[in-house]
Amino acid sequence: MAVDYIVIVVYLAGMLVMGWWGMRRARSKSEFLVAGRRLGPSMYSGTMAAIVLGGASTIGGVGLGYQYGLSGAWMVFTIGLGLLALSIFFSARIARLKVYTVSEMLDLRYGGRAGVISGVVMWAYTLMLAVTSTIAYATIFDVLFDMNRTLAIVLGGSIVVAYSTLGGMWSITITDMVQFVVKTIGVLLLLLPIAVVKAGGFSEMKAKLPTEYFDPLGIGGETIFTYVLIYTFGMLIGQDIWQRVFTARSDKTAKWGGTVAGTYCLVYALAGAVIGTAAKVLYPKLPSADAAFATIVKDELPVGVRGLVLAAALAAVMSTSSGALIACATVANNDIWSRLRGVVKRDGEEHDEVKGNRTFILIMGIAVIGTAIALNDVVQALTVAYNLLVGGLLVPILGGLLWKRGTGQGALASVVVGGVAVIGLMATYGILANEPIYYGLLSSLVTYVVVSLATKPTDAAVLAAWRDRLAGRTPELASEPVPAHQ
C-alpha cells in the first residue's frame, strides 16, 4: 500500500500547489468567480464534466450498477442528458448574460423582484450539494488509511477549502482539469476493463447474474422518470453549473464544449454500471451496494493502479465539492449579503470584492465541513437539495427564458409556493418519496402561469434590457467594450 499512499499524497499536495498558482491570477471579481470568462473549448469541457460527475456519480453509480445491473446507469445518464440539453438549448444565451448568479438573471428578467428569495433557495441547494460531496471523503479515506470519519471529512474538506479560497475559480478550474484526466484514466481506462476481466468477461457475467441485470429499464420506469425530473432539470438551473457556463470564452464554447462534456457523462454512466455489475459477480453478498466501488478497488487492483483509481474517486468528490462550495459562497455574498450591505453601508464605503468573496468561501467551507460531520445520510441530503432546487426554481428560470408573459410576481409566487409545497410534501410522504417533486413542480408551474396572467406584464424597458443581454449587446462593466457578435 506504500505506493498507493504516495500516489494519493502527491495528488493532494498538487491540489494545494494549484490553489497557490490560482491565487496569483485571481486579481478581479471576474477572474476570481468565473475565471475571467476566458476558458476555451478543451478546458471548458473538462471542467464541466468534472463538476457534474462527483462522488454520487462515481461511488453511487457503481453502487446502482451493483444493485440493478446496467439500468443502474440511469441516474448518471440523466445528468448527462441534462447537461446536453443545457448546452444545446440554453448555454449560449446564459453565457451572453454576463452575470455571476442565477438570481442576477432573475433580477434582470423580472425587474429585481425575485432575486432575494431565489438566492436563499439556491444557497440552500449549493450548501447541501457541497455537504454531500464532503461526506464522501469519509468513504475514500477509510479505504485508504482506515481513518476516523470526522478526521477524514476535516482532511478532505480542508484541502478543498484551502485551494478554493486561495484562487477561486482559477484554482478550481485547473484542479478540475487535472481531476478530469485522473478520473478518465482511473475509472474508464483502468478500473472498467480490469473489473470486466476479473469477472470473467461479459459472457460469464450474463451466465452468473439474473437476466434483469441486463435489462435497460430494469430499475423501473417511475424511477427513471424521477431521475429525469430531479437530475436532468436540475442540470438546467443549478448555480454550480451556470457558474461554469459563465467561464466560457464565447457562446460557441459554452454550447459545443458543454455538448462534449454531456456526451462524456453518458459514457461515464455506462462505465459505472458495468463496473458495478462486475462487482456483483465477484462479491454477490456485500452488506451495502455503495461498498462495491471501494471493495473492487481494494481487492482486485494491483498496487499503484489502486492508488490511481482511489485518486480518481477522490478527484470526483473534490471537483463537485469545490464547484458547489464556490457556488454557495458566490450566492451567499452576491445575492444575500451584498443586498444587506446595500441597505446598511455608508455612502462612499469601499469594498474589496475579491477579498470579500474569498472570505465567504472560507466561511461557507467551515460551515460545510461542520454540517458534513453532523449528517450521515448522503442520499437524503442530496434529495432535499435537488427537490428544493427543481421544485422552487425550475419554473421561474425556464419561464423567464422561454415565456415573455411571465412576470416578477408570478416568479416570486412560484418560488414560494413550489418551495413550501416540496418541504410540506417531504414532511408528509418522506424525503425519498416521489410525490414531493411531482406535486411541488406542478404547483410551482400552475402558480407561475396563473399569477403571471393575473398581473401586469413586465415593464417594456426591463424586457428590452433583457433582450439586449441575451443578444450579447451589453458589456459586463461600463469600462468593457461591447462584445462582437459570436
Side-chain angles (χ1 to χ4, degrees), residues 186-329:
V187 175
L188 297 185
L189 302 184
L190 292 177
L191 182 57
L192 174 61
I194 290 173
V196 172
V197 169
K198 291 281 187 178
F202 284 104
S203 58
E204 188 70 14
M205 290 162 63
K206 285 186 175 182
K208 289 187 175 181
L209 294 174
T211 55
E212 57 262 29
Y213 264 71
F214 302 91
D215 179 359
L217 304 178
I219 198 170
E222 186 176 353
T223 299
I224 295 170
F225 181 65
T226 302
Y227 283 160
V228 170
L229 283 183
I230 294 177
Y231 297 115
T232 301
F233 287 128
M235 286 296 106
L236 298 180
I237 59 174
Q239 169 68 25
D240 52 323
I241 309 302
W242 277 42
Q243 199 156 343
R244 294 311 172 98
V245 176
F246 300 150
T247 66
R249 185 167 60 199
S250 67
D251 53 4
K252 289 182 179 179
T253 296
K255 182 175 183 178
W256 297 112
T259 301
V260 171
T263 304
Y264 178 90
C265 291
L266 303 183
V267 175
Y268 200 87
L270 184 59
V274 171
I275 292 167
T277 305
K280 184 67 175 179
V281 173
L282 295 167
Y283 312 100
K285 295 183 179 181
L286 287 177
S288 165
D290 284 340
F293 180 88
T295 303
I296 197 168
V297 169
K298 193 173 185 179
D299 294 350
E300 302 297 335
L301 299 185
V303 173
V305 173
R306 179 170 50 211
L308 184 59
V309 173
L310 286 171
L314 202 55
V317 176
M318 283 186 158
S319 56
T320 300
S321 181
S322 59
L325 176 59
I326 194 172
C328 178

Side-chain angles (χ1 to χ4, degrees), residues 21 42 48 81 97 99 106 110 116 198 222 254 256-257 280 288-289 291 293 341 347 366 404 415 424 470 472 485:
W21 178 88
S42 297
M48 182 62 89
L81 292 178
L97 288 174
V99 295
L106 291 172
Y110 296 112
V116 179
K198 291 281 187 178
E222 186 176 353
W256 297 112
K280 184 67 175 179
S288 165
F293 180 88
R341 272 191 84 254
D347 291 340
I366 293 171
K404 184 173 65 175
V415 172
L470 283 180
H485 180 68

Side-chain angles (χ1 to χ4, degrees), residues 78-282:
T78 55
I79 290 174
L81 292 178
L83 186 51
L84 285 171
L86 173 73
S87 302
I88 294 170
F89 299 114
F90 299 108
S91 63
R93 281 182 282 180
I94 293 170
R96 288 195 294 263
L97 288 174
K98 302 294 184 186
V99 295
Y100 292 98
T101 68
V102 174
S103 294
E104 288 180 21
M105 167 263 170
L106 291 172
D107 277 350
L108 284 170
R109 169 60 181 81
Y110 296 112
R113 292 190 177 95
V116 179
I117 292 180
S118 66
V120 172
V121 174
M122 189 64 77
W123 173 80
Y125 157 72
T126 53
L127 178 72
M128 295 309 294
L129 187 61
V131 165
T132 57
S133 299
T134 303
I135 290 173
Y137 295 127
T139 301
I140 299 168
F141 283 113
D142 178 56
V143 174
L144 280 170
F145 308 116
D146 194 22
M147 187 179 290
N148 173 269
R149 178 182 183 275
T150 299
L151 182 59
I153 289 172
V154 171
L155 175 60
S158 296
I159 292 171
V160 169
V161 171
Y163 73 69
S164 300
T165 302
L166 285 172
M169 188 59 82
W170 269 122
S171 293
I172 292 170
T173 295
I174 300 303
T175 53
D176 275 1
M177 199 63 200
V178 173
Q179 288 158 357
F180 169 74
V181 173
V182 171
K183 276 193 289 193
T184 301
I185 296 173
V187 175
L188 297 185
L189 302 184
L190 292 177
L191 182 57
L192 174 61
I194 290 173
V196 172
V197 169
K198 291 281 187 178
F202 284 104
S203 58
E204 188 70 14
M205 290 162 63
K206 285 186 175 182
K208 289 187 175 181
L209 294 174
T211 55
E212 57 262 29
Y213 264 71
F214 302 91
D215 179 359
L217 304 178
I219 198 170
E222 186 176 353
T223 299
I224 295 170
F225 181 65
T226 302
Y227 283 160
V228 170
L229 283 183
I230 294 177
Y231 297 115
T232 301
F233 287 128
M235 286 296 106
L236 298 180
I237 59 174
Q239 169 68 25
D240 52 323
I241 309 302
W242 277 42
Q243 199 156 343
R244 294 311 172 98
V245 176
F246 300 150
T247 66
R249 185 167 60 199
S250 67
D251 53 4
K252 289 182 179 179
T253 296
K255 182 175 183 178
W256 297 112
T259 301
V260 171
T263 304
Y264 178 90
C265 291
L266 303 183
V267 175
Y268 200 87
L270 184 59
V274 171
I275 292 167
T277 305
K280 184 67 175 179
V281 173
L282 295 167

